[in-house]
Amino acid sequence: CATQAPAPQVELLETYWRTVQIDGKPLVRRPGTREPHIVLKREGTRVSGFAGCNNLAGGFRQERDMLTFGNLAMTRMACVGEGDTIEAAFTKALGSTVSWRIAGNMLELRDAQGAARMILEARKD
């Protein structure tokens, strides 16, 4: 029987990464709400995404396994319910990110202690 080739590694850049866990807490998706996500653009090393209530945009630096986010600008929509809590945790996790690792279709954003602050999943088109 033929052995199956390993699935190609998902690219860090130009991939829609949807958040599945922040600080060890699974993110429960609510029907009818947008999912928190990020997309790292190759051009201009820009990040864009949605944090739970607001859109975000800014820059990032990536060298090998190092990754940092800087100068994040966000829209200022009013937040109701747990969107506010999710957004606070999401932006805090991005702000503390210093490294990354991809395993399969999952992206781990890690802090200076090596703890996974946020886990994201590559969305299939």
Side-chain angles (χ1 to χ4, degrees):
C1 67
T3 56
Q4 198 164 351
Q9 188 92 341
V10 180
E11 286 286 326
L12 174 66
L13 305 181
E14 306 297 337
T15 297
Y16 180 105
W17 293 105
R18 71 169 163 219
T19 306
V20 293
Q21 187 176 308
I22 302 174
D23 292 328
K25 296 182 191 75
L27 197 66
V28 179
R29 293 206 27 231
R30 302 274 180 256
T33 62
R34 289 176 65 196
E35 61 191 2
H37 69 275
I38 56 171
V39 178
L40 301 170
K41 300 283 187 190
R42 199 170 267 110
E43 187 177 323
T45 57
R46 305 292 295 163
V47 60
S48 63
F50 180 72
C53 295
N54 291 283
N55 292 315
L56 67 92
F60 70 91
R61 268 189 63 212
Q62 185 240 326
E63 291 174 33
R64 292 187 297 285
D65 65 346
M66 183 216 73
L67 179 67
T68 55
F69 296 92
N71 299 328
L72 293 179
M74 297 178 67
T75 55
R76 292 280 170 227
M77 302 290 288
C79 229
V80 291
E82 67 178 10
D84 202 33
T85 308
I86 291 168
E87 184 162 284
F90 183 96
T91 53
K92 198 170 169 196
L94 279 185
S96 68
T97 296
V98 297
S99 67
W100 63 282
R101 184 176 84 97
I102 291 178
N105 67 338
M106 305 302 267
L107 168 64
E108 290 180 7
L109 299 181
R110 297 168 176 235
D111 65 17
Q113 287 72 45
R117 294 299 306 275
M118 188 164 12
I119 298 176
L120 304 100
E121 179 182 32
R123 189 176 78 181
K124 311 277 186 291
D125 285 343

